[in-house]
Amino acid sequence: MERSRVARRQDTTTNKRKQTTKQSKPKTKKPIWRRILLLATLLFIIGVVAAGAYSAYAIATAPPLDEEKLVKTYPIQLISANGEPLESGQVREYVSINDISEVMQQAVVSIEDRRFYEHNGIDIRRIGGAVLANLTSGFGSEGGSTITQQLIKQSMLTSEKSMKRKIQEQWLAIKLEREYSKEQILEMYLNINYYGSGGYGVQSASKAYFNKPVSEVNYQEAAILAGLPQRPSAYDPISGDQELTRYRQEQVLAAMKRDGHITEEQYNEALNVEIADVISPAPQTDGESYTRAIYARVQAELEEDYGLEQADIYGAGLKVYTSIDKDLHTKFNNDIKSNNVDFMNVENVFPEDLRMGATVLNTKTGEIVALIDSQQAEQGDKNYRDFSREKRQIGSTAKPFFDYGPGIENGQWSTGKVLRDAPFEDEDYNPINYYEGYRGSNTMRYFLTVSANTPAVRAFYEVRDEFGQDAIQSFVQNLGIEPSMSGDEMNASNALGTAEASTSQMAAAYAALGTNGMYTKPHLIQKIEFNDGSTINSPVKAKQAMEDYTAYMLTDMLRDVVSTSIGTYQPGAFPYDVAGKTGTTNKDMDKWFTGYTTDYSISVWTGRSNETAERVMSPNYAQFYFEYMMQEVTNANGRPAAFQQPESVLSLGNELYVKGTKPKDLEPDKLPAPTGASINYDIPADRGTLTWSYNTEAVQADGYQNLSFTVTEKRPDGSERVVATTSDTSVDISGLTNGTTTFTIVATATNPLVGEQQSSPLQTQYTVQRNQEPAEEEEPETEQPAEEPTEEEQSNDNNGNGNNGNNNGNNGNNGNNSDSGETTEEPATEEEPPAEEESGTDLERQSNSESSDSNENRGNGNGGRENGNSDRNNE
């Protein structure tokens, strides 16, 4: 049956659909790079629109150009701790571009903006170069700002670091170029910059450094001035680092030579002249000179501690609150620089060739209270330095930190630790003492008090060998002191003070001893206030630099330097608790005294140049200036509290030790008895000598002092008397009667850890047999012997027996000593303590090594002291 046309049409349509489905091809996706390109294009368009909108916003909110701000400077305001303004010596004298020498203008343009006269306020080429330099050499390696932009930044904008401020800076620079000529812009720029030494504007700087108007400066002087605004405190040719000044001057001269403003010959000629020979500064008033050091410190702290840049500091009206006590600071500078300090018996005229610097510090906070930067009243000479800030070799003020402190910190040494004063044998560094000879063995306390050299170096070696170099290096670095190094190795000469530090650093290091080991970097800014009213408090914080027992034990020993007769401090003890240390370098080039109470730490340095005779260093001005300043701060602020012993420290006798250290380190061996007694007696003459042996050096090495021997005689009739008490090892005897006489010898000595000790007795006998008794003489009044065990059954020393009445000289006199026990007087030196007087002075801690020779010939009564023939090291 034939299908209908409709059915056939449906079949045809279906077949076509099937065929079409089978023949269709899949759609291809667009390449990934096209998608990325499309996305990047969209993002770029969005970024351009956003940047344009943001730039439009920044420009719309930019401040209007204000000619008053462009020409006016807002200097730093310094406020004292008393709330009074401090004169900072800041000056500014506006000068027309027509009165600025052409070479000065050329120097500035060459180093700051070589295409200044070509661009419209923005140097596109310079910006590109700066971007490239920052990518290749690190961010911040080069800036892209023009002179115009720098002027806008300093005068019109805040110190905020943002894209908005940068856009505003560029926009205002273009706008400024449209409204003012290049000469006007350069004039405003040269008058708004800060040039160091309190000078704003190039005219003030020229007069400060060269004592001439800027219209008269030559290319050598112009190169110095042009380089200053980049780092005014560092490049300051008077109070800064003259090596840095020369480095910056050379950069400017090279730029001037590149641009054809000077010749090759002029360039080389300029570099052959020292910076000190180029400058010729004008004198300052007393008020300016007294605050000069303060202003320099403020600049350095703002950059180093607060991280501020030049634009944030200079000309922005910054208010700086300082810790300076205006009254004390002014008085100290006025009195010292005007020779108004009374040295009592010492001539109080300050030698012209002597230089000095000092820092008065708050012990608890590390804040600087006063600075004395030089003796001279007029600070205008080209060789002026801030001696309160300049680093010098510290001499024996190093000993607590390089020698004894690390031993206490790491080895828990007691103050009674025994050290030896003797020549070195196998060490590369082998100094001698500032006094003649050597004093044998004694305690660490004694040797620090008298400032002995060889025991200090031995302590340094002991810590280094047992705990490693880092134990010493880290200890001193925690106190802000850098040791002298040879490569990676710390020099052994650090033990006696070849490291260099300033008076501020030393005052802060010693202040840490007065605060149980808490160290605070010395600083004088308490807070800063910006012109918008916002403030930043000091970021300087205290840190634990050492254990509290280390700080207190050093303090307790340093008390003896000031308060005992054997200490090296000359002016005498204070009526309140003071500790401190003297210091002297070779040939008296430097003399120090740094001392402290719980309230104030004061470090004083005096010194001379190589051309100045040593005689200007006598008397010891550093010590007398310290005494004067310590008395003044105490009179002004009251008597300080005493140093408080922490719980980690225990006392035993007159010495201190760390709680928990093992007893063997603290208790000395038992005092040994004498040995080798013998009697040499002449019966017809009825007189003789009793001698014995004793190892004096051994007991001194164990910390014993004040050694003496008590000799008791027991006669045949049973009566007893004390023959003698002596530091010698022999006594004269006479009047022996028929029969056997027994002699008892007992050694007595004191040890700072256990007090007075007695040895076991040594006994010896002598028998006299005469045919006829001599007439009996009246016996002298006898002393009762010290209560001690005298056992008859104790075996007698065979060498001590006299065997018969004809025993003339038996056993020989093998223990005699020509030295009577008197002290050999040391030659006077700059730190030799005065002779000890018998007075009520507390000398319980004074070590006495003046015992006599033993049978083994151990010494001459001074612990083995020998006379050195080589040149002495100074204390």
Side-chain angles (χ1 to χ4, degrees), residues 77-84 86 294 297-298 301-302 305-306 319-326 362 364-369 520-529 535-541:
Q77 302 176 62
L78 300 182
I79 310 298
S80 73
N82 319 76
E84 302 176 10
L86 287 170
I294 296 174
R297 298 292 185 98
V298 165
E301 286 186 28
L302 289 173
D305 296 338
Y306 289 80
K319 187 177 290 186
V320 178
Y321 293 85
T322 75
S323 55
I324 295 294
D325 185 312
K326 185 176 182 179
N362 184 304
K364 299 180 181 68
T365 66
E367 294 175 337
I368 296 172
V369 175
T520 306
K521 178 183 176 182
H523 61 288
L524 55 73
I525 300 180
Q526 295 178 328
K527 71 174 181 179
I528 59 175
E529 181 180 331
T535 61
I536 301 178
N537 292 325
S538 174
V540 179
K541 304 297 180 185

Side-chain angles (χ1 to χ4, degrees), residues 496-517:
L496 299 184
T498 56
E500 296 183 344
S502 68
T503 62
S504 298
Q505 289 174 303
M506 294 308 294
Y510 274 83
L513 303 182
T515 55
N516 288 331

Side-chain angles (χ1 to χ4, degrees), residues 699-712:
V699 298
Q700 288 177 340
D702 204 26
Y704 284 101
Q705 307 161 14
N706 305 318
L707 177 66
S708 65
F709 302 94
T710 300
V711 180
T712 305

